[in-house]
């Protein structure tokens, strides 16, 4: 009877070994592509999350060259190139541009930005340089203009 139980247990072991061995081999073959797919999906989700957060949520600092824009408008007005109505339109345009800056951007004056800040130039750089050169020449030729 002991032999009969021994045969039964050996038969049971051999049948369980037979069923687990092929199933384990199949699971190992599926396991590697499954892990790779999980890693790729996780990596893609992380990249999309960081990109979306950086694009729409995180606060960013931008500097606006408002002083240069106002100076340019003042020079144009003093030279008679624009009238009162054009000056009002220029400042309305400035207000509209300031209102179009997204909410996730903190705006500071361009003069306060030391480095590593994105600076928006509102006026035309070349035009502003020409007016600054004209003002410098006018101040050198007319000492009383410095008091103004």
């Amino acid at each position: 009877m002991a032999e009969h139980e021994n045969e039964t247990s050996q038969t049971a072991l051999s049948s369980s070994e037979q069923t687990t061995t092929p199933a384990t081999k199949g699971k190992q073959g599926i396991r590697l592509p499954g892990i790779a797919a999980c890693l790729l999906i996780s990596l893609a989700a992380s990249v999309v999350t960081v990109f979306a957060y950086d694009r729409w949520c995180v606060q960013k600092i931008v500097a606006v060259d408002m002083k240069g824009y106002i100076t340019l408008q003042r020079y144009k007005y003093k030279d008679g190139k624009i009238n009162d109505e054009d000056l009002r339109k220029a400042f309305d345009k400035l207000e509209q541009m300031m209102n179009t800056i997204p909410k996730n951007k903190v705006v500071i004056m361009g003069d306060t930005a030391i480095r590593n800040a994105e600076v928006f130039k509102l006026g035309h750089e070349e035009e502003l340089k020409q007016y600054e050169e004209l003002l410098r020449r006018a101040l050198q030729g007319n000492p009383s203009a410095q008091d103004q």
Side-chain angles (χ1 to χ4, degrees), residues 106-126:
V106 176
V107 180
I108 61 172
M109 295 288 287
D111 299 344
T112 60
I114 296 173
R115 63 177 166 166
N116 298 338
E118 183 179 355
V119 178
F120 289 114
K121 300 284 185 183
L122 300 174
H124 298 286
E125 192 73 24
E126 290 300 318

Side-chain angles (χ1 to χ4, degrees), residues 78-95:
K78 285 173 93 175
D79 288 347
K81 295 195 176 199
I82 60 173
N83 58 18
D84 291 340
E85 185 62 29
D86 292 334
L87 186 62
R88 280 191 208 102
K89 286 180 184 178
F91 284 116
D92 289 341
K93 181 182 173 186
L94 173 65
E95 183 180 4

Side-chain angles (χ1 to χ4, degrees), residues 13-129:
L13 284 176
S14 63
S15 65
S16 68
E17 287 175 359
Q18 291 173 0
T19 57
T20 57
T21 305
T24 307
K25 288 180 182 176
K27 286 183 182 178
Q28 287 176 352
I30 295 173
R31 189 173 180 182
L32 186 60
I35 291 173
C38 288
L39 286 174
L40 288 175
I41 291 170
S42 176
L43 182 65
S46 298
V47 167
V48 168
T49 302
V50 169
F51 176 77
Y53 179 74
D54 183 59
R55 177 90 171 147
W56 292 294
C57 297
V58 72
Q59 290 287 319
K60 295 184 179 177
I61 297 175
V62 294
V64 177
D65 184 26
M66 195 176 296
K67 182 179 178 183
Y69 184 78
I70 292 171
T71 303
L72 179 64
Q73 299 309 316
R74 183 179 63 193
Y75 289 159
K76 285 182 177 180
Y77 186 74
K78 285 173 93 175
D79 288 347
K81 295 195 176 199
I82 60 173
N83 58 18
D84 291 340
E85 185 62 29
D86 292 334
L87 186 62
R88 280 191 208 102
K89 286 180 184 178
F91 284 116
D92 289 341
K93 181 182 173 186
L94 173 65
E95 183 180 4
Q96 288 174 352
M97 289 191 304
M98 295 301 289
N99 289 336
T100 60
I101 295 174
K103 301 263 185 219
N104 67 333
K105 297 195 180 206
V106 176
V107 180
I108 61 172
M109 295 288 287
D111 299 344
T112 60
I114 296 173
R115 63 177 166 166
N116 298 338
E118 183 179 355
V119 178
F120 289 114
K121 300 284 185 183
L122 300 174
H124 298 286
E125 192 73 24
E126 290 300 318
E127 193 175 15
L128 184 59
K129 285 181 183 178

Side-chain angles (χ1 to χ4, degrees), residues 1-9:
M1 186 126 147
E3 288 181 16
H4 188 281
E5 287 179 13
N6 231 358
E7 287 177 16
T8 309
S9 65

